[in-house]
Amino acid sequence: MLRVAVVGSGPSGVYTAQSLVQLDQGVLVDVLDRLPCPYGLVRYGVAPDHEKIKSLQQNLRAVLEHARVRFLGGVRIGADGVPVERLRELYHAVVYCVGAATDRHLGIPGEELPGSWSATEFVSWYSAHPDVGADGFIAGARTAVVVGVGNVAVDVTRILARGAAELSPTDMPQAALSALSASEVTEIQMAGRRGPSQARFTTKELRELGALPDTDVIVDEADLALDPACADPSALPAAQRRNVEVLRGWAATPPRGLRRRIRLRFFLRPVELLADGGRVGAVRFERTAPDGRGGVTGTGRYEEVAAQLVLRSVGYRGVPLEGLPFDAERGTVPHLAGRVVREGAVAPGEYVAGWIKRGPTGVIGTNRPCAKETVTSLLSDAPALAARELPGDPLTALRAAGTEPVEWAGWLAIERAEAELGASLGRGVVKLPDWAALRAAAGRLPDA
């Protein structure tokens, strides 16, 4: 049997495992994850009010329950964990599906002021990621600025504008629900440096803003007029054309004076976060204008927008994993059709899939063909890889080295604990918010 380790249990990792067991009946797959919980960004990145997308977990679950797939959570690879070299000794092949674990920075003065956060941190907080120790994201904030016009920017804007009645049925952790329910944020400005026709959000996500209770959505007609494609959007691709049509509808609708306002701003480039009392108090923007080549140029005109909360949503970025080569410019691991490349040569038995392979692009479904390409490469190499004798079951070796993985039964125990917590709070399932609670729950096995 060919033993393969897949590092990462998000969509790219699970789709890799699925392709392996579907395309070769002689493969055993261990799906390893640093966290005791599977599903990656589906659990910790999809907004809690997007139940339809979160239901994808059931499809991923079916793969992880396959007879030839084993989930091993709580296993750290690289620094302070199992060295890459040791992992390679324990398996015939290793596929790294570790995603893009950090956010891009604006690179402007004041970015590190208290009250300025990456959208990644904010999403992790309301999604109960155990690494997030910070709280107080919205304490004392009345106005918020979201920098970016992609789907994550729309997500955090929408969550900021939702009330307790809408968030309580979700699996949001109780502390985040309480904080958001008590929020005093009544104005949210979402700003992009380019024009409306170049925004990265999908129309479905965009329209959800217009369905929020007691919330006005405001678009400045001048921003639309500055974008040449908005005058006649018929030549735009379908997705961008639909976005423009939605934005034009909001621009033509007078505000109704509702409790909250969401302002969608364009042709604004942040140049500095300004302090007020030791924390962020405003964002200084430069107005931009189309340069005629699909980009924008600065105009030398500036404006300041008051904000006690700034969320920076300008993209994800891969980070190096100790022991693997890394292209710092692209934020990816060098590869050829998924085969890891070290110093210009393919490294036998090492592969990548997902964002660490191609960069943070595409939607969840994009990971399927990406994983299949990598698996095709791996299985074509399988005869040579399988010739190497392994020291035995990798789980035995991991335990001998002091690692005690959370197996599938441990994850099921976490699920039960989250259901019990929700019931005690009069809610549905409520996520456990920290490492201690997850570890304690994972140990509550039925036969314990």
Side-chain angles (χ1 to χ4, degrees), residues 3-7 28-32 87 91-96:
R3 281 196 178 273
V4 180
V6 173
V7 180
L28 296 175
V29 181
D30 283 350
V31 178
L32 284 61
L87 198 64
Y91 293 89
H92 293 112
V94 182
V95 187
Y96 295 94

Side-chain angles (χ1 to χ4, degrees), residues 41 97-103 120 315-319 331-332 354-357 359-361:
L41 279 180
C97 306
V98 292
T102 190
D103 59 285
T120 305
Y316 293 95
R317 180 172 176 80
V319 297
T332 58
W355 280 0
I356 200 64
K357 170 186 174 184
T361 61

Side-chain angles (χ1 to χ4, degrees), residues 3 5 40 49-50 68 77 90 111 134 138 171 174 176 201 214 232 259 261 291 343 361 363 425 445:
R3 281 196 178 273
D49 59 342
H50 274 176
R68 287 185 284 116
I77 306 300
L90 298 177
E111 188 169 5
I138 55 178
D171 62 5
Q174 187 64 30
F201 41 62
D214 204 17
D232 180 13
R259 179 172 177 267
R261 294 190 302 175
D291 63 5
E343 298 179 352
T361 61
V363 294
L425 295 168
L445 302 183

Side-chain angles (χ1 to χ4, degrees), residues 2-9 12-14 16-17 20 27-33 68-70 72 75 77 82-84 86-98 349-353 374-375 378 385 388 390 394-395 398:
L2 184 74
R3 281 196 178 273
V4 180
V6 173
V7 180
S9 66
S12 64
V14 176
T16 297
L20 282 165
V27 178
L28 296 175
V29 181
D30 283 350
V31 178
L32 284 61
D33 203 290
R68 287 185 284 116
V69 176
R70 181 168 59 179
L72 301 176
V75 180
I77 306 300
V82 181
V84 164
R86 178 57 174 158
L87 198 64
R88 181 71 184 88
E89 292 170 359
L90 298 177
Y91 293 89
H92 293 112
V94 182
V95 187
Y96 295 94
C97 306
V98 292
E350 293 183 309
Y351 304 85
V352 285
T374 295
V375 168
L378 189 159
L385 298 173
R388 181 168 60 89
L390 300 182
L395 180 54
L398 290 171

